[in-house]
Amino acid sequence: MGASESKLTFKEDVFRLAREDNISADSQWWAQFYQLPESSDDVFALWSPADVRNLTQSSASSPSSTQGLPQKNLETLIYVCVARLEQLQIKRCYADPHHPIAQEVLNCVRILTRLLPYIFETDRLHEWERRFFWEPRKPTQVWDKKHNRPGEYFDGLNPAKKFADEDDSNAEIGAPLGEQLIDLLVQYLFLAGFTLPKRLDSESLPDLNISFHIWNSGIGCRQSVGMTRENERNAVEVIRLLLSLFSRQLYLPPQIVAEIDVRSLSHMTAKPDRQVALSVICSLLNTVLKYNPASWRVPVELTAEGDSKAKLANLSLDLLLVLLMYPDQKGEQNAYRKSLGRLHRVEDFQFIQQGLTTVLMQPISGMSSYIPGQQKQVPWAPEMLILFWELLQVNKRFRSFIIETDRAHDFVVLVLFYAMSAKDQPPKQGIVRMCVLILQTMSVEPAFGSRLNKAFVGHDSLPSVLRITNFHGSYADFLITSIHTLMTTTQGRLESIYPALLAIVNNIAPYVRDMQRATSSKLMDLFISMSSPTFLLEKEPNHQLLMQLLQAMDAILEHQAAANRRFVEVVFRCRKRFKALRDFTVEGAVAELDRLAQERKDRGETGAASGIRSPTARQGSIDSVRSPVSARSPHLGNVPEHEAFAIGDDDDDEDADVNGLSSSTSFTAPLSASTSVVDEAVPLQSRSMTERARGKQPVGQGNFSRSTSRNTSTSSLPALITQPTSASQTSTNSFRPTPEWLDTWLPHLQLYGISKVIQDEHFRSSQDTAAVPTTTTEHPVLTASPRVQAFQWTSLSLGWYLGLLWGLVYSSDVAANRGINGIWTGTSIKLFGVLSSGGGGISLRSPRGAVDAVGDAIASRIGSLSFNSSQTTREV
């Protein structure tokens, strides 16, 4: 809209909509709304949030029977836009066949995109929305202001069609309006001259027939249709309206979002025409996978905002994921998930793998910026990770293609890169969770664990966030060390996924060979932290993490002991730690905590002695349990290593301390450098035991009982602690450890295999004190089928997953459309919280319920389970 006068006139007519209700539907006055605006900015600027919200309120002049409904003008405006979209597409309403239809189509699309979020956010309108959009269409009417009575009934999409008979007022005159709108929009995605190149018919007139041609070459198509920039911009506008229609999920709480039937998504995904579904999914998928950021010689952040190809790729990915992730409530199969699951050609999988890698590799390759050395992430890289996870879940052939080849190594590195890059950024903790669950999904396949034994020769070329000092070893060493880093340097921010991290170790443990000494020390490091009285007595379910870790260690020794001599050596050197765990008693542990608290009090650390936590400490940090009181940076490079087992120490003297770890790295010893050396002959938690308790201890080194349960599952959310506490306050919650509680899990720890290895090593050392036997190349036979710990979906975890996706969609829209031009900017979103940052940007904050939901869901669904495809594939 050019002149200021025309904009003022248009704005005055927008005001009139709210001020003067029940404007006649057959008036030509309505046409200006889809004829005058010239850009999306015009529509979003002239329809302010206040203007739209005024339309959602009941008119003061409306009769009492219509109170609680939106103004009639809102219904009429929606009817006008949908009717015009239908006329322009189907009825060839222009006398001049060469008249461009794009501008009017786009304005109708923009108005509806603006209106829908404000309808969804208003709880009072939910019942009206259901009837107006999703029940079969019936005649409507406006109030006859001249005679102060209800007007005659008419067809909302065709006001000229009247219904004089009162009985016709309840007749069904068409399909639900929402379904008609979705069908129209899908057809507009394949309309020649709008989203596809112009075509001429036999009479040299524009061909307006719908042709469901796939946009780009790739899956299902060998030749692109050749979309112009105008076609791409038009497709972007249509996809924005589809996302606006589907965003009903944004205005549902995370606890129930997966359980609510969103009619727009149900109609789109449940029973579409097969040809339509294939054309839509192939067009979206090919557009996403063919986009190559490296081919553009401008920074990625500029292309994402200003380039039509980048915008189309981003929004195509968002729409594709929203369709794929919808769990239909009526048991109908999601046609898009079904289509994705049926892909089977190797060339298709290669095309998918190349497209995923191209985008995910951008920050590693450093090809996305003019500035030398500056690495930029493609804005929709997190959504590409979601797409990768969806493909792993829904298509077992693709999962085998990735895992049973060396491509699995590349994706392990890529997924860990995004996890490590986001682990210290609170707004991105959802990305870390997703990355961990991707790795868990991959780890349930036996071939994955076996292929991780390949030597990692390209480690030195990795970005700094991934590099490990003096690293040498296999991909398994790299993965386990990275897991250790995620658990020990995040100060408890990731406590809800500690079970998932340990599940990955459990799943690969039976297949890991030739584990390096540094990696072995990492596992022992976690064991010492988790078996300490401080940790075990803090929260009731904390022992379940210890049980998971012991299962992994036992699996290594049961299946690959001969191929992991370094790990066996580390276990033998820490044998007193395992005996201390076997001799663990509640009263002895409490006495030990009292002694530590008293020593801190004697040093003047009154806060710690009285159980008061540091305000800067985060509850749930393994790192804080194992850290000295003195301040240090919580990074892997600063984590104290066991003296004989530090990274790069493989060539250290073999005569290092074999009686256990040094006192400087003892995590159950007093946390002070000046503490006197304690008697290593008595386990720490046994030092204050009563004579009665001591009498119950078995005689002899390594006398452990066999586990009576080998299928322990993590059934509740573990919470890790920050500082040791006194006996008078061993927990900040209502949990009080008792001997009866201890008996429920201590006898069932999987310590038999570890005890057997320690006994064998003790015998060997007594027979030959010269050296520990060298690594053997013998391939041991697996004595039993390894159990895996697979992730299973619940409504709570799916609610978190949908919140993560919609948070990314929302952030992408805000980044591309500043101010009030965002689709959902300023609306009352319930799925997550939106916080404004000091720099004018936004950050997303999940509601407390969402955080609890994903934590509980992840912890409760991880156990010792036999893997099959249904355990990682959501049934939809």
Side-chain angles (χ1 to χ4, degrees), residues 799-820:
W800 158 78
Y801 193 30
L802 290 171
L804 173 64
L805 171 62
W806 277 110
L808 294 170
V809 174
Y810 177 91
S811 300
S812 175
D813 180 70
V814 170
N817 302 279
R818 302 295 183 182
I820 63 172

Side-chain angles (χ1 to χ4, degrees), residues 566-680:
R566 296 184 183 91
F567 180 68
V568 171
E569 177 187 348
V570 170
V571 169
F572 180 68
R573 292 186 177 185
C574 296
R575 56 192 178 275
K576 290 187 178 181
R577 300 286 179 178
F578 294 99
K579 189 175 190 307
L581 176 61
R582 175 62 184 86
D583 297 336
F584 189 94
T585 65
V586 172
E587 56 185 353
V590 170
E592 176 67 15
L593 295 182
D594 275 339
R595 185 176 64 82
L596 295 177
Q598 184 61 45
E599 289 190 358
R600 286 194 301 275
K601 183 177 181 180
D602 294 342
R603 294 195 299 270
E605 300 169 10
T606 56
S610 62
I612 300 175
R613 302 176 189 275
S614 168
T616 59
R618 290 181 179 268
Q619 182 176 351
S621 174
I622 286 182
D623 184 55
S624 59
V625 174
R626 62 188 295 273
S627 304
V629 173
S630 58
R632 67 178 179 84
S633 177
H635 295 289
L636 181 62
N638 297 320
V639 174
E641 305 291 348
H642 313 322
E643 287 184 352
F645 310 132
I647 294 177
D649 273 352
D650 285 4
D651 297 327
D652 285 355
D653 191 324
E654 293 291 345
D655 294 330
D657 176 24
V658 296
N659 293 320
L661 301 178
S662 65
S663 59
S664 64
T665 57
S666 176
F667 307 111
T668 52
L671 303 180
S672 172
S674 61
T675 303
S676 59
V677 179
V678 296
D679 181 12
E680 283 289 319

Side-chain angles (χ1 to χ4, degrees), residues 47 80 292 313 342 433 438 451 454 471 478 483 544:
W47 294 81
V80 166
N292 185 3
R342 285 183 170 178
R433 289 190 178 99
I438 290 174
R451 291 195 172 272
K454 179 180 178 180
F471 175 82
F478 179 74
I483 289 173
Q544 293 173 356

Side-chain angles (χ1 to χ4, degrees), residues 337 386 388-396 399-400 403 436-445 507 788-794 798 801 861-862 865-876:
R337 290 182 68 81
I386 295 179
F388 176 58
W389 194 16
E390 286 295 308
L391 285 161
L392 290 177
Q393 294 177 79
V394 78
N395 195 310
K396 62 182 180 181
R399 187 167 64 241
S400 298
I403 292 175
V436 171
L437 294 178
I438 290 174
L439 292 173
Q440 186 183 357
T441 302
M442 298 173 69
S443 70
V444 297
E445 296 284 357
N507 292 341
V788 297
Q789 297 183 6
F791 178 72
Q792 289 182 307
W793 290 99
T794 66
L798 187 54
Y801 193 30
R861 303 302 294 178
I862 295 176
L865 306 170
S866 299
F867 175 74
N868 55 57
S869 60
S870 65
Q871 288 175 323
T872 54
T873 302
R874 286 183 280 110
E875 297 295 331
V876 293

Side-chain angles (χ1 to χ4, degrees), residues 341-576:
R342 285 183 170 178
L343 295 178
H344 62 278
R345 298 168 53 193
V346 174
E347 50 266 39
D348 289 342
F349 293 154
Q350 291 173 337
F351 174 72
I352 293 172
Q353 177 262 326
Q354 182 179 1
L356 291 169
T357 306
T358 298
V359 170
L360 295 177
M361 280 287 293
Q362 276 301 116
I364 298 178
S365 63
M367 298 174 62
S368 56
S369 176
Y370 272 136
I371 305 174
Q374 186 176 8
Q375 298 171 332
K376 292 294 182 180
Q377 177 178 312
V378 178
W380 56 92
E383 290 97 312
M384 292 294 275
L385 286 172
I386 295 179
L387 177 60
F388 176 58
W389 194 16
E390 286 295 308
L391 285 161
L392 290 177
Q393 294 177 79
V394 78
N395 195 310
K396 62 182 180 181
R397 301 180 188 90
F398 177 78
R399 187 167 64 241
S400 298
F401 171 80
I402 293 295
I403 292 175
E404 295 179 1
T405 65
D406 288 344
R407 298 173 182 87
H409 301 141
D410 297 333
F411 280 101
V412 166
V413 174
L414 288 172
V415 171
L416 283 174
F417 169 79
Y418 286 95
M420 290 294 187
S421 299
K423 71 181 180 68
D424 296 322
Q425 303 178 52
K428 295 185 177 181
Q429 297 308 290
I431 302 298
V432 184
R433 289 190 178 99
M434 180 184 61
C435 290
V436 171
L437 294 178
I438 290 174
L439 292 173
Q440 186 183 357
T441 302
M442 298 173 69
S443 70
V444 297
E445 296 284 357
F448 179 78
S450 299
R451 291 195 172 272
L452 288 179
N453 292 315
K454 179 180 178 180
F456 196 160
V457 296
H459 174 268
D460 292 340
S461 63
L462 293 178
S464 58
V465 71
L466 281 179
R467 285 199 297 270
I468 302 170
T469 306
N470 298 326
F471 175 82
H472 53 278
S474 65
Y475 282 90
D477 291 299
F478 179 74
L479 176 57
I480 293 173
T481 302
S482 298
I483 289 173
H484 175 272
T485 301
L486 287 171
M487 296 184 71
T488 60
T489 66
T490 51
Q491 299 179 328
R493 289 186 297 270
L494 303 177
E495 63 175 324
S496 63
I497 55 171
Y498 288 163
L501 288 165
L502 292 177
I504 298 170
V505 181
N506 259 290
N507 292 341
I508 68 173
Y511 310 98
V512 173
R513 299 173 55 82
D514 197 23
M515 187 188 302
Q516 297 300 305
R517 185 177 290 118
T519 309
S520 303
S521 74
K522 299 298 182 187
L523 291 179
M524 194 58 57
D525 185 34
L526 292 176
F527 167 73
I528 292 172
S529 298
M530 294 178 187
S531 61
S532 68
T534 305
F535 175 72
L536 291 173
L537 269 60
E538 175 65 11
K539 295 288 180 65
E540 183 174 2
N542 278 6
H543 65 274
Q544 293 173 356
L545 281 179
L546 175 63
M547 298 178 82
Q548 274 195 286
L549 181 60
L550 286 174
Q551 288 175 20
M553 298 171 73
D554 181 77
I556 295 173
L557 297 175
E558 179 182 359
H559 299 294
Q560 300 288 355
N564 287 289
R565 292 299 307 165
R566 296 184 183 91
F567 180 68
V568 171
E569 177 187 348
V570 170
V571 169
F572 180 68
R573 292 186 177 185
C574 296
R575 56 192 178 275
K576 290 187 178 181

Side-chain angles (χ1 to χ4, degrees), residues 757-819:
V757 167
I758 291 175
Q759 289 177 351
D760 292 345
E761 288 301 301
H762 184 72
F763 177 77
R764 290 191 185 191
S765 63
S766 64
Q767 297 296 318
D768 182 11
T769 58
V772 178
T774 57
T775 302
T776 178
T777 58
E778 177 186 355
H779 291 251
V781 179
L782 299 183
T783 59
S785 178
R787 305 287 183 106
V788 297
Q789 297 183 6
F791 178 72
Q792 289 182 307
W793 290 99
T794 66
S795 60
L796 294 178
S797 57
L798 187 54
W800 158 78
Y801 193 30
L802 290 171
L804 173 64
L805 171 62
W806 277 110
L808 294 170
V809 174
Y810 177 91
S811 300
S812 175
D813 180 70
V814 170
N817 302 279
R818 302 295 183 182

